[in-house]
Amino acid sequence: MSEQKRAPETGGDASENGAAQGNAQVNEATAEAEATAMADAAIGGPAGDKARLEAEIASLKDKFLRAFAEAENVRRRAEKEIQDAKTYGIASFARDVLNVADDLARALGSVEADAKATAEGSFKALLDGLELTERGLVKALEKHGIRKIEPKGEKFDPNLHQAMFEVPDPSVPTGTVVQVVQAGYVIGERVLRPAMVGVARGGPKAEANKAAGAA
């Protein structure tokens, strides 16, 4: 009797053990699936974040380069404006000073060459003083970037010269400056005042002269 009673007990234990094992397998499979899902999520998450961060970095880099280029352009424009102000800011004042230079030149030009050569005493001192003042004024103008234009013998340039009249002169090429009525001046790269000149007419053209010389 005791053996028959123990047999069912043994069968019950086996059933319970099988169920426990089945539950363990299910739990293990579930845990494995969850771990796999978590691993997949972990792999996909950083990759997505990396792509997003790279896109943001590229966008910020582009904005930075654009801002840097704009700042560089502003800096260059500011430097040019400052330089132009330094160079050309005295243009109005310089034009007024040129009137003084013209008066000195006219005063010296009114004295004949013979009178200059034979000048003595106070008259000679006056002439020397005028010439010294004129040279000093020209140097002062050059110090501030103002240069005198004396184009006699040069080819007429409408950018630098103003033709006042024509002079029949077949001995020089047509278009040659043969007389300077009033000296011109430039400041930096700009014309402060064009030179007023007389231009030769009637001679060979400069281009023809050059071609003949080359031949």
Side-chain angles (χ1 to χ4, degrees):
M1 291 294 293
S2 61
E3 291 178 357
Q4 291 177 354
K5 289 180 180 178
R6 285 196 297 273
E9 291 176 3
T10 303
D13 291 341
S15 175
E16 289 176 0
N17 289 337
Q21 290 177 354
N23 290 335
Q25 291 175 351
V26 170
N27 291 337
E28 184 178 353
T30 301
E32 185 177 354
E34 290 177 352
T36 301
M38 291 177 65
D40 291 342
I43 293 172
D49 289 343
K50 182 180 179 182
R52 178 176 56 79
L53 290 174
E54 287 178 348
E56 290 181 359
I57 290 171
S59 177
L60 291 173
K61 184 178 180 180
D62 180 68
K63 291 178 180 178
F64 169 77
L65 291 175
R66 290 176 183 273
F68 180 80
E70 181 62 25
E72 186 68 11
N73 289 336
V74 170
R75 183 185 67 80
R76 288 176 180 173
R77 284 196 298 269
E79 285 182 350
K80 187 176 185 305
E81 288 175 359
I82 292 171
Q83 186 60 40
D84 287 348
K86 288 180 179 179
T87 303
Y88 306 114
I90 61 170
S92 296
F93 172 74
R95 289 190 185 95
D96 293 336
V97 173
L98 296 186
N99 294 328
V100 179
D102 293 338
D103 291 339
L104 283 171
R106 279 191 288 268
L108 289 170
S110 65
V111 181
E112 295 180 357
D114 293 340
K116 286 183 181 179
T118 59
E120 295 180 356
S122 59
F123 181 57
K124 179 174 175 54
L126 175 62
L127 290 178
D128 290 343
L130 287 174
E131 289 176 350
L132 183 63
T133 302
E134 185 185 35
R135 288 196 297 270
L137 180 58
V138 170
K139 287 181 180 179
L141 291 173
E142 289 177 349
K143 181 180 178 182
H144 292 280
I146 301 166
R147 294 179 291 107
K148 191 175 184 180
I149 303 174
E150 289 281 8
K152 187 174 182 179
E154 298 178 3
K155 183 180 178 181
F156 176 77
D157 184 348
N159 296 315
L160 299 174
H161 314 144
Q162 181 178 345
M164 304 301 294
F165 51 85
E166 289 185 327
V167 180
D169 189 349
S171 65
V172 296
T174 295
T176 301
V177 176
V178 293
Q179 186 176 345
V180 179
V181 179
Q182 186 181 65
Y185 290 85
V186 293
I187 179 171
E189 299 299 324
R190 300 178 186 176
V191 176
L192 188 61
R193 187 182 74 186
M196 297 182 181
V197 301
V199 183
R201 174 177 56 83
K205 291 188 177 180
E207 290 78 5
N209 259 10
K210 288 180 182 178

